[in-house]
């Protein structure tokens, strides 16, 4: 039997997913509270029982988009460099295959980083979003180990994450397209 709290969490998740889809398709400014409410089959007034505002909903999505990758970066601090890249590529691409929500999150984050019209709190959250600095440290470690190719560590980090970003964006638009194999992405940084 589903508890009232579980029902509330399920409904909240449904709102987040619908809002994400709309923010990706229409942008932050172009998405209205009524659009989100309509997408989940509720009144705008009822939606405010779950989120205080459109801004709060957007900020929560941005918070999710920042926390996942940054948690992954913490995991890169230990172990071999290639193991980090293999795990990151396999984990992200696997999730992209199983969960369209993930592809939309990549699009949302890419758009948010360039959108000057987003809420101030979302901008604050994004200010701490930096996967390239910690990934460059993993690259440097791998270069010392001999497992990562020579080259600028930040540029190699950008190449790796840009490939992931591009794949996610492609799958957000064309969800039935085949997903590249993780090792193809790891080969961007792997020493041959």
């Amino acid at each position: 039997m589903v508890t009232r709290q579980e029902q509330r969490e399920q409904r909240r998740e449904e709102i987040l997913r619908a809002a994400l889809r709309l923010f990706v398709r229409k942008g932050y400014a172009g998405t209205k509270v009524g659009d989100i409410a309509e997408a989940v089959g509720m009144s705008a007034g009822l939606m405010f029982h779950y989120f205080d505002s459109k801004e709060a909903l957007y900020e929560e999505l941005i918070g999710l988009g920042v926390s996942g990758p940054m948690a992954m970066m913490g995991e890169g601090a230990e172990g071999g460099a290639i193991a980090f890249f293999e795990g990151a590529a396999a984990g992200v691409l696997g999730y992209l295959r199983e969960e369209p929500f993930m592809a939309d999150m990549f699009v949302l984050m890419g758009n948010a980083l360039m959108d000057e019209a987003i809420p101030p709190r979302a901008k604050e959250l994004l200010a701490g979003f930096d996967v390239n600095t910690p990934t460059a440290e993993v690259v440097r470690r791998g270069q010392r180990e001999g497992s990562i190719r020579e080259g600028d560590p930040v540029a190699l980090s950008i190449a790796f994450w840009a490939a992931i970003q591009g794949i996610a964006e492609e799958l957000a638009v064309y969800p039935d397209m085949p997903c590249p194999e993780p090792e193809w992405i790891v080969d961007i940084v792997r020493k041959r």
Side-chain angles (χ1 to χ4, degrees), residues 11-190:
R11 193 64 161 153
R12 204 169 184 286
E13 178 74 19
E14 184 181 353
I15 294 166
L16 281 168
R17 287 176 179 270
L20 173 63
R21 195 89 178 134
L22 288 163
F23 288 140
V24 165
R25 299 295 182 261
K26 296 175 128 189
Y28 175 75
T31 301
K32 308 296 178 228
V33 170
D35 298 333
I36 301 166
E38 182 180 326
V40 293
M42 68 172 50
S43 71
L46 181 57
M47 200 178 83
F48 288 121
H49 288 281
Y50 294 90
F51 294 94
D52 293 338
S53 63
K54 176 177 96 167
E55 291 81 7
L57 181 50
Y58 187 82
E59 291 162 4
E60 182 157 335
L61 286 167
I62 295 296
L64 290 171
V66 168
S67 65
M70 296 314 290
M72 185 184 301
M73 299 319 314
E75 296 165 8
E78 298 179 18
I82 283 296
F84 166 77
F85 286 107
E86 289 171 340
V92 172
L93 295 180
Y95 201 46
L96 286 171
R97 285 184 187 117
E98 297 169 16
E99 183 54 67
F101 180 86
M102 179 72 143
D104 283 344
M105 282 301 293
F106 271 88
V107 175
L108 177 77
M109 295 302 289
N111 291 347
L113 287 165
M114 296 189 305
D115 189 347
E116 294 179 11
I118 65 173
R121 176 70 183 124
K123 288 179 184 177
E124 290 172 20
L125 291 167
L126 287 169
F129 185 61
D130 173 17
V131 294
N132 288 311
T133 300
T135 302
E137 287 304 314
V138 175
V139 169
R140 285 182 190 93
R141 187 172 71 236
Q143 288 171 332
R144 288 189 301 272
E145 295 168 354
S147 61
I148 301 293
R149 71 175 61 226
E150 293 303 314
D152 183 282
V154 175
L156 286 166
S157 170
I158 290 169
F160 178 82
W161 290 113
I164 299 277
Q165 178 74 27
I167 292 165
E169 290 178 6
E170 191 73 16
L171 292 175
V173 176
Y174 305 107
D176 295 329
M177 295 296 282
C179 187
E181 295 299 320
E183 55 269 11
W184 302 346
I185 309 309
V186 177
D187 282 346
I188 292 170
V189 298
R190 187 188 318 268

